Amino acid sequence: MRSMAQSHPSLSTGQVHSMSPDSFFAVDDEKLVRLIHDEFPDELNRLTRAYSIRDQDFTPPSTPSPSYILYGKDYDEVNRTLVSVLALRWIYNGQYETFVETQPEHLRLKRESFNWIREIFAKGITSPADFHALITSIVVNDLGKDPQLAADYHDKMGEDISDLNHDMILLKAVKDGLVQSLDRLTPEHKANVILGMELGSEFNFGQLAQAENAPFCLSILAKMAGKERAFEQRFMEQLLDIAGASGHMDWTCAKKLIEPIFEAYHNVYDVANAVISSVLGWHDGYDLILIRRTEMLHAKGFRALDIDNPRERALMRLLCMGGVADLETAELYDTVWKDLDDSTKASLIHTLNLDGSVTEPAVQPTYMPALLAQGVDPTRPRSRFEKEASLRAILRYCSRVMRITDKPDGQVIVIERNALWVLQHVVLSPEFKADPSVLETTDVPKSVVAMTR
């Protein structure tokens, strides 16, 4: 992969799909943003309607955001998507300092980690067609968050898919021709993008990094054997997704892709490749994610945990779901876990250790990591007592979300319960901050079948 800091070829006058990476990444930020808009106007328009989650307290940069450049207004998902494209530019050009500019110093992505990412992209982008397929994959990745896409699908196909997760909504819309930008790709690259979407609809890299999905979800990786190009392209797109995840708050760098999150994604990459190549089974692969998180915390002084002990394995999964990366937060979780009432703890020990089967389906608690992160946000000034109360309330709510009282019909293995509404309207509310017990009266999200036999 060439560094464009050293090489500045002349700008092509063609559209993005006819440009080389060198030509595309030679332009300034504003021109780059406008090129993406000119190539994908319908897709970016959908993203102006997409739902988003943002931290409540942040100070944006003084420079105009990418969406402000285009629309004169800030749209969160437009900014996130375009910062993902800018992150690709920083990776391609070797701009490490820009990539990590405002990341907290103690969590900053290491240069050797950045170099590992560059190597992945150097192997994955070997032609203009590879480059255009990746750009297209970035831009369409979150279109399922636009409520209108599910409505358009319903109008065309007569099926209501609005309760599905946004990855599944996108996949269905793509397969029925509602995302036409994929038609500009070569047949091989289009097939690889769709295969990556099929993988993402049941196996999400970020969800495995956080142990949010059920272990059985890893079984779909067997379908990727012999399809390394599709897998690598999907992994690149997911890295760029996390790089742009805070792009609505800070569009000057890849603020979210800090070292602990990189390590989690690196672990997922290793585990996924091991499962694809049959070196590990899917259950052992899932356990490796839990083990590596615990080893990282143990190196910082946290107590050792035993993967073969169901009680401790459940705690290991909660530490992953909470994205716990420091000793103080790990000890907070440990204290609350030990003090939980017996009924809640017993329920969590059981449900957090389910793999998922027809006999006893597992629950995928989508957005539970975000609930945990917001509930014990270490950046907000609160007492230890307040943090314990918030975490205790969320774990009690989690125990209800994870519990299935009525066995679903059919060969169901994994059920998804999406806690987005709870995050937006309860956990982020002033009422929760004043009294976390408001979660006690909050309903469990609707059950949606995620995986069947």
Side-chain angles (χ1 to χ4, degrees):
M1 184 180 292
R2 291 169 55 186
S3 169
M4 303 218 348
Q6 300 172 349
S7 174
H8 297 274
S10 60
L11 175 61
S12 166
T13 58
Q15 295 178 316
V16 174
H17 72 272
S18 62
M19 296 172 69
S20 70
D22 282 349
S23 296
F24 182 74
F25 290 128
V27 305
D28 61 33
D29 287 358
E30 182 172 340
K31 178 66 174 177
L32 182 148
V33 165
R34 294 193 184 281
L35 281 169
I36 292 294
H37 177 267
D38 291 347
E39 182 83 358
F40 302 99
D42 294 338
E43 288 76 9
L44 291 187
N45 184 56
R46 283 196 181 278
L47 290 173
T48 64
R49 297 188 296 261
Y51 64 79
S52 68
I53 301 168
R54 59 162 59 194
D55 294 339
Q56 292 182 313
D57 301 317
F58 69 94
T59 303
S62 59
T63 56
S65 72
S67 74
Y68 195 88
I69 290 171
L70 296 176
Y71 303 105
K73 185 177 180 181
D74 283 323
Y75 293 104
D76 286 359
E77 289 303 319
V78 174
N79 282 328
R80 285 173 169 158
T81 296
L82 293 175
V83 171
S84 292
V85 176
L86 289 170
L88 176 57
R89 171 212 199 94
W90 302 325
I91 292 167
Y92 190 86
N93 291 352
Q95 294 172 269
Y96 170 73
E97 289 77 11
T98 302
F99 197 90
V100 302
E101 185 173 358
T102 65
Q103 292 182 357
E105 187 173 355
H106 67 290
L107 299 173
R108 184 170 296 159
L109 183 75
K110 297 176 182 177
R111 184 176 286 275
E112 54 265 35
S113 301
F114 180 75
N115 290 339
W116 184 88
I117 292 171
R118 291 198 78 214
E119 290 175 5
I120 291 291
F121 281 77
K123 290 187 296 183
I125 304 175
T126 60
S127 69
D130 292 339
F131 163 69
H132 187 233
L134 181 57
I135 290 288
T136 303
S137 182
I138 296 167
V139 172
V140 305
N141 178 55
D142 282 329
L143 295 187
K145 294 180 179 180
D146 170 23
Q148 189 59 44
L149 187 62
D152 291 344
Y153 184 89
H154 181 268
D155 290 344
K156 181 178 180 181
M157 306 302 296
E159 178 186 356
D160 182 6
I161 60 172
S162 59
D163 286 331
L164 300 179
N165 66 60
H166 71 268
D167 290 319
M168 184 61 78
I169 290 172
L170 175 61
L171 177 62
K172 283 182 168 287
V174 164
K175 287 189 171 183
D176 284 293
L178 290 173
V179 184
Q180 297 178 358
S181 56
L182 270 70
D183 294 336
R184 295 196 291 269
L185 304 179
T186 68
E188 178 186 358
H189 285 88
K190 179 179 178 180
N192 282 340
V193 170
I194 294 175
L195 184 57
M197 290 178 180
E198 290 175 346
L199 174 65
S201 69
E202 295 185 294
F203 170 81
N204 182 290
F205 288 89
Q207 288 176 342
L208 177 57
Q210 301 172 121
E212 180 181 3
N213 54 7
F216 185 81
C217 294
L218 274 71
S219 64
I220 193 176
L221 288 168
K223 297 180 181 179
M224 302 304 290
K227 299 168 182 173
E228 291 78 8
R229 292 290 294 177
F231 173 79
E232 294 290 334
Q233 180 173 282
R234 183 68 181 181
F235 182 69
M236 288 190 294
E237 183 269 310
Q238 290 288 288
L239 276 178
L240 293 170
D241 183 63
I242 195 67
S246 291
H248 60 303
M249 299 185 295
D250 187 346
W251 40 89
T252 64
C253 71
K255 195 177 187 74
K256 190 77 169 180
L257 189 44
I258 54 177
E259 184 66 23
I261 290 179
F262 164 77
E263 290 173 359
Y265 273 71
H266 194 172
N267 290 339
V268 168
Y269 183 81
D270 290 345
V271 164
N273 275 300
V275 173
I276 290 170
S277 60
S278 299
V279 173
L280 286 176
W282 49 264
H283 179 88
D284 290 338
Y286 196 93
D287 277 358
L288 185 56
I289 295 293
L290 305 182
I291 290 168
R292 287 191 175 177
R293 170 74 61 170
T294 308
E295 288 175 343
M296 180 266 288
L297 292 171
H298 184 56
K300 296 181 178 182
F302 188 58
R303 68 185 180 93
L305 296 175
D306 182 4
I307 193 71
D308 294 319
N309 181 321
R311 179 187 300 260
E312 295 194 345
R313 187 178 182 277
L315 175 58
M316 292 167 77
R317 190 168 171 195
L318 289 172
L319 291 168
C320 275
M321 273 204 273
V324 178
D326 63 272
L327 178 59
E328 181 181 352
T329 307
E331 290 179 339
L332 171 70
Y333 270 70
D334 200 27
T335 297
V336 173
W337 176 248
K338 289 176 179 176
D339 292 343
L340 270 181
D341 62 276
D342 291 343
S343 176
T344 298
K345 187 184 296 185
S347 178
L348 285 170
I349 290 170
H350 177 70
T351 56
L352 290 171
N353 280 289
L354 291 175
D355 283 342
S357 66
V358 173
T359 303
E360 191 164 12
V363 171
Q364 175 178 299
T366 303
Y367 284 102
M368 188 59 66
L371 264 72
L372 290 165
Q374 291 291 338
V376 299
D377 185 357
T379 65
R380 296 215 309 264
R382 287 184 298 166
S383 68
R384 171 82 176 205
F385 176 81
E386 289 172 321
K387 290 181 180 180
E388 288 183 5
S390 293
L391 181 56
R392 186 178 302 108
I394 293 171
L395 292 185
R396 288 177 59 83
Y397 182 70
C398 181
S399 73
R400 291 196 288 128
V401 172
M402 297 295 294
R403 188 168 58 247
I404 300 174
T405 54
D406 298 316
K407 188 176 181 298
D409 296 331
Q411 302 289 296
V412 178
I413 296 175
V414 178
I415 286 172
E416 180 179 20
R417 285 179 171 165
N418 191 323
L420 175 62
W421 186 92
V422 179
L423 173 65
Q424 293 174 319
H425 299 281
V426 181
V427 173
L428 291 177
S429 71
E431 290 77 15
F432 177 82
K433 292 180 178 63
D435 180 13
S437 68
V438 296
L439 271 176
E440 297 288 342
T441 57
T442 302
D443 290 338
V444 167
K446 179 180 179 180
S447 297
V448 177
V449 174
M451 294 189 74
T452 59
R453 172 170 291 174

